[in-house]
Amino acid sequence: MADTTKPNAQNLEFQTEAKQLLHLMIHALYSHKEVFLRELISNASDALDKLRFQSLTDSSVLPADIELSIHIKLDKNAKTLTISDNGIGMSRQEVIENIGTIARSGSKAFLEKMTGDQKADSNLIGQFGVGFYSVFMVAQSVKLITKRAGCPEEPAVMWESKGENEFTISDTEKEGHGTEITVYLKEEESAYTEDWQIRSLIKKYSDFIAFPIYLPDEKGHEEVVNQTKPLWRRAQSEVTPQQYEEFYQQALGGFDKPLSILHSRAEGVMEYSWMLFIPSTSPFDLFSFERKHGVKLYVKRVFIMDNCKELVPEYLRFIRGVVDSEDLPLNISREMLQKNPIIDKIRKSLVGKVLGKLKEMAEGDADNYKKFWHEFGPVFKEGLHTDYENKDKLLELVRFQSSMGEKDDLVSLKQYVDRMRADQKEIYYITGENREIVEKSPHLEVFKAKSIEVLYLTDPIDEFIVNDIYNFEGKVLKSVMQGDLDLGELGKEEKDTRKKAESKYKKLSERIKNILGDAIKEVRITTRLKDSPACLVAAENSMGAHMEKLMKAMGQEVPKSQRILEINPEHPLLQNMNARYENDPKDPELEDWVKLLLDQALIAEGQMVSDPMAYSRRVSSLMVKASSKQ
Ligand code: ADP
């Protein structure tokens, strides 16, 4: 029932996920409770940023003499802690949406990672920003009074809740815009009314906040307790590892430990401070266009926007950070950003720094680089397609799995070329869905026999980037599943065998082509098989089977390209078939065997046979024959 003593009062229920999170906050989490303060301060700071940004286009919302700031008041007797800001504030509808629903990134990610194990979950809280609701770890009830800036005619809003199932919302009075949150502390949490306690928490978690945070001193005079100089504007030596990490997690939405940090200031023709983080885990929305976090743009310390996509190219979209420019105009709009020469220069320079840092990591810290590659390799490789200018640097940084390494081993193109066999002329690769499939492919047989390394290209994007790479140090990339295999000197023996076999198998080959008709382009004697009877290869300039599969998965129409069936003259099956053919060119059993030969070649490379029923019928009938011979 709504409290009718309050004007325009409404009782509303929290949404399901919000309830779930609140329940956890109240009943299950016992450690890291202190983080509620950093969450409230960080919300206040965001609200101040938003107001300052709005004032750039509408100066009426922020009179010149107002200092944007955060105030904290402690009342030991009442056991309350009050935090107020003169930021953007919220309208009634905004309060309902923002604080009754749970579309918040931090909380969402938190719920996704939750294990159900209380101890583990309460540890998670330390790492995640879990937002406003974390206040219920320490509060028995909370009162929030807020007034939206720029809407003086709208009444202020009061939101109250014990955090159980519902909240009350009503009209109220408030002087000036902004938000004031009163936390009624639980009996056992009264330590949060201790001045020293709050000061040390601000030092620990919120020292980088760019707005002053005021707290009364012993005499009741308000004093600023944080450093206020934005973290990114300080020298590297002034920032502790903990501060970097706090900033990364709170201000940039990171939920891991950053893998690497870049921080500096450019001076000279252009001036800007920048701080970038390479995460150690990829976020769930890396492939979503609407992802929220990226590089924030500030101009002369004024927050302009989150996730400024013009500052980093798409293939580095996992980077998080801040750029604060002295040269851009404060009223810069999204449209202006797109062809802005200053932004372009900053982006170029940042890309150079990031690639430099990655190179350093690749050379000096292989384990971390492996981690990086595992998380972001598929995205990073897009750069080969889009960042032609940095192609050489990117080529130094790309890594592949290969036939020479174990599952986790990675090889660079340089390493590949350096350890290539002496007479080898090309860089060989195989594409496919995953390592398990490609490493068993019959196409690799001759390469294994001769210890020639083959790169395993198993990310969907790899099919597209091989063309972009084209060659490395003069060595062309060549698919082991496509075209005629020419190993040069290394394949001399196979070529001789082929030559001899060609005339011997000429008739059988014709018969095979005859039986299979349009299902294949032609039959030829292989130089790449050792143990398997046959395999399929794409014609020199046509699309490979894996590429076809990918294109179909993307909903593209692809004409079925005919492939070449390569047969192995050394294999007993082919030898027997040839003998049967010579004995009776019309031998009716040949037809079934040939069809099975094709189906097996398809299965071996992870494809579907064209008629599974017919395939299974043929295999059964062979098995019946074989088993009755006992
Ligand atoms: P997050 O900060 O990750 O968005 P929160 O749960 O902390 O999630 O906050 C939810 C939303 O409530 C914020 O995004 C913001 O829109 C609003 N909000 C919270 N605190 C304030 C505040 N002090 N001033 C204005 N809006 C606020």
Side-chain angles (χ1 to χ4, degrees):
M1 277 296 287
D3 181 348
T4 44
T5 59
K6 290 183 181 148
N8 203 3
Q10 228 182 331
N11 273 2
L12 293 169
E13 257 195 56
F14 286 113
Q15 298 218 331
T16 319
E17 279 172 309
K19 274 190 209 163
Q20 214 179 330
L21 193 63
L22 281 162
H23 185 86
L24 192 80
M25 294 294 169
I26 299 170
H27 300 288
L29 297 169
Y30 304 107
S31 61
H32 299 290
K33 291 183 181 184
E34 60 188 34
V35 299
F36 85 91
L37 187 66
R38 82 164 185 211
E39 298 297 325
L40 296 185
I41 291 178
S42 143
N43 282 346
S45 164
D46 288 348
L48 294 166
D49 264 338
K50 284 181 197 157
L51 179 61
R52 191 156 64 174
F53 182 64
Q54 195 178 331
S55 75
L56 297 177
T57 46
D58 176 5
S59 56
S60 71
V61 294
L62 184 61
D65 54 342
I66 283 194
E67 182 198 42
L68 293 171
S69 58
I70 300 169
H71 292 257
I72 297 180
K73 293 222 162 63
L74 307 170
D75 185 335
K76 278 192 184 154
N77 296 327
K79 298 203 178 61
T80 59
L81 176 151
T82 306
I83 162 166
S84 52
D85 64 72
N86 52 356
I88 189 102
M90 284 177 274
S91 66
R92 188 180 184 107
Q93 194 51 35
E94 283 170 331
V95 173
I96 294 173
E97 278 166 18
N98 295 339
I99 310 210
T101 335
I102 194 177
R104 307 287 131 219
S105 62
S107 339
K108 215 168 163 182
F110 178 77
L111 280 174
E112 272 164 14
K113 295 241 166 163
M114 241 166 54
T115 58
D117 168 4
Q118 292 190 3
K119 207 160 155 217
D121 289 343
S122 70
N123 270 331
L124 271 180
I125 256 210
Q127 298 166 31
F128 282 75
V130 285
F132 176 78
Y133 296 135
S134 62
V135 69
F136 287 103
M137 292 191 290
V138 299
Q140 44 178 309
S141 69
V142 173
K143 179 165 83 187
L144 174 147
I145 292 176
T146 185
K147 190 168 169 67
R148 185 72 160 81
C151 310
E153 66 294 343
E154 270 186 44
V157 187
M158 176 147 75
W159 176 101
E160 292 166 286
S161 179
K162 291 186 168 31
E164 296 285 354
N165 282 321
E166 52 172 33
F167 56 92
T168 309
I169 197 160
S170 56
D171 289 350
T172 188
E173 307 264 308
K174 180 180 183 328
E175 216 178 284
H177 52 78
T179 304
E180 178 184 288
I181 297 169
T182 308
V183 182
Y184 296 86
L185 293 161
K186 290 179 186 167
E187 205 60 45
E188 65 277 18
E189 306 295 348
S190 56
Y192 293 112
T193 57
E194 296 285 353
D195 184 77
W196 64 267
Q197 169 89 317
I198 298 304
R199 281 171 195 254
S200 76
L201 287 179
I202 292 173
K203 266 264 149 311
K204 181 166 170 194
Y205 290 121
S206 308
D207 205 29
F208 58 79
I209 295 287
F211 301 96
I213 304 173
Y214 286 95
L215 214 66
D217 66 11
E218 288 125 47
K219 296 196 191 86
H221 299 305
E222 298 223 293
E223 62 176 354
V224 178
V225 293
N226 60 328
Q227 279 208 38
T228 69
K229 186 171 179 186
L231 201 69
W232 58 87
R233 289 195 164 227
R234 299 181 206 165
Q236 264 191 43
S237 57
E238 289 172 36
V239 185
T240 66
Q242 287 85 347
Q243 281 174 318
Y244 277 122
E245 209 171 298
E246 279 299 327
F247 181 74
Y248 169 70
Q249 291 176 348
Q250 283 186 61
L252 303 174
F255 13 88
D256 47 353
K257 268 189 196 300
L259 197 61
S260 187
I261 302 166
L262 296 85
H263 172 199
S264 186
R265 181 172 172 80
E267 270 158 3
V269 193
M270 285 196 312
E271 264 183 59
Y272 56 95
S273 310
W274 52 276
M275 186 185 267
L276 303 180
F277 295 81
I278 302 174
S280 56
T281 352
S282 75
F284 63 93
D285 60 355
L286 193 59
F287 286 91
S288 144
F289 192 70
E290 279 157 26
R291 68 192 177 275
K292 188 170 150 198
H293 297 286
V295 177
K296 286 177 197 265
L297 175 65
Y298 283 72
V299 171
K300 301 183 187 75
R301 301 180 56 168
V302 176
F303 169 76
I304 304 293
M305 72 178 74
D306 274 324
N307 195 13
C308 176
K309 293 188 175 166
E310 286 75 15
L311 281 171
V312 279
E314 277 286 290
Y315 75 96
L316 297 179
R317 60 182 176 270
F318 48 84
I319 299 275
R320 295 181 185 213
V322 172
V323 169
D324 187 353
S325 159
E326 295 298 317
D327 310 296
L328 288 167
L330 271 167
N331 60 356
I332 188 154
S333 66
R334 278 234 170 236
E335 296 72 54
M336 282 163 70
L337 282 173
Q338 276 166 16
K339 328 175 237 325
N340 186 290
I342 299 176
I343 293 274
D344 278 351
K345 281 198 189 121
I346 297 180
R347 183 184 55 240
K348 269 194 191 132
S349 155
L350 295 183
V351 169
K353 305 279 184 207
V354 171
L355 297 183
K357 187 78 179 180
L358 287 172
K359 183 168 180 206
E360 205 181 291
M361 197 195 290
E363 285 167 2
D365 189 353
D367 281 351
N368 262 354
Y369 194 71
K370 211 183 251 186
K371 244 188 241 163
F372 162 77
W373 194 258
H374 180 73
E375 294 295 316
F376 303 112
V379 170
F380 186 79
K381 280 185 277 192
E382 292 172 14
L384 285 165
H385 195 58
T386 52
D387 190 357
Y388 197 72
E389 219 171 295
N390 286 303
K391 185 174 174 188
D392 289 344
K393 286 185 187 158
L394 296 177
L395 286 177
E396 282 179 29
L397 291 167
V398 281
R399 295 291 181 272
F400 299 98
Q401 293 201 36
S402 92
S403 56
M404 291 286 172
E406 295 302 312
K407 195 166 169 39
D408 286 335
D409 293 338
L410 295 172
V411 58
S412 67
L413 291 168
K414 178 99 183 79
Q415 271 169 312
Y416 181 101
V417 169
D418 286 350
R419 68 191 188 197
M420 232 157 86
R421 290 202 50 183
D423 290 324
Q424 194 182 330
K425 303 257 172 334
E426 293 168 317
I427 297 175
Y428 295 104
Y429 69 88
I430 181 167
T431 56
E433 219 157 287
N434 56 49
R435 184 183 174 108
E436 285 65 40
I437 290 179
V438 296
E439 73 186 349
K440 289 183 205 123
S441 167
H443 299 92
L444 295 182
E445 287 169 8
V446 71
F447 295 91
K448 283 185 187 151
K450 294 184 183 292
S451 301
I452 299 173
E453 182 165 20
V454 177
L455 301 175
Y456 294 163
L457 272 52
T458 53
D459 285 323
I461 185 169
D462 292 339
E463 280 279 5
F464 303 91
I465 61 155
V466 273
N467 288 331
D468 297 310
I469 300 180
Y470 183 61
N471 83 54
F472 181 78
E473 294 189 353
K475 309 277 188 297
V476 172
L477 269 75
K478 170 97 177 117
S479 166
V480 304
M481 304 170 86
Q482 189 163 26
D484 198 7
L485 180 66
D486 183 3
L487 290 175
E489 279 302 302
L490 291 171
K492 215 166 159 320
E493 188 190 321
E494 284 73 14
K495 271 205 170 148
D496 290 346
T497 316
R498 164 151 97 184
K499 228 184 209 133
K500 276 185 221 136
E502 253 161 7
S503 56
K504 194 169 166 212
Y505 280 81
K506 187 160 183 289
K507 289 274 179 215
L508 179 69
S509 301
E510 280 167 14
R511 177 90 175 103
I512 295 177
K513 166 66 182 151
N514 227 309
I515 292 169
L516 295 176
D518 284 346
I520 56 163
K521 186 176 158 70
E522 61 174 269
V523 179
R524 82 178 161 216
I525 307 290
T526 193
T527 53
R528 70 189 98 211
L529 295 176
K530 290 285 167 199
D531 308 317
S532 302
C535 71
L536 284 159
V537 296
E540 192 67 62
N541 291 314
S542 71
M543 200 183 272
H546 184 57
M547 181 69 138
E548 255 178 38
K549 211 167 159 183
L550 288 176
M551 300 285 274
K552 277 195 196 135
M554 292 189 296
Q556 305 257 6
E557 277 289 325
V558 263
K560 185 113 196 87
S561 58
Q562 285 179 317
R563 290 197 288 157
I564 297 160
L565 183 72
E566 286 197 354
I567 51 171
N568 179 1
E570 314 254 89
H571 196 281
L573 176 57
L574 270 300
Q575 287 170 350
N576 292 348
M577 276 166 70
N578 206 28
R580 290 286 284 250
Y581 177 83
E582 279 169 357
N583 191 30
D584 172 13
K586 296 211 175 71
D587 189 331
E589 290 201 293
L590 271 175
E591 186 163 332
D592 269 352
W593 296 341
V594 166
K595 288 185 173 160
L596 279 174
L597 199 64
L598 173 65
D599 284 349
Q600 281 189 323
L602 282 166
I603 290 171
E605 58 183 40
Q607 306 280 342
M608 249 325 237
V609 300
S610 60
D611 183 350
M613 268 313 289
Y615 169 77
S616 125
R617 194 170 31 77
R618 285 190 189 105
V619 174
S620 304
S621 110
L622 276 186
M623 286 164 76
V624 169
K625 268 186 210 148
S627 56
S628 64
K629 277 194 185 133
Q630 283 277 310

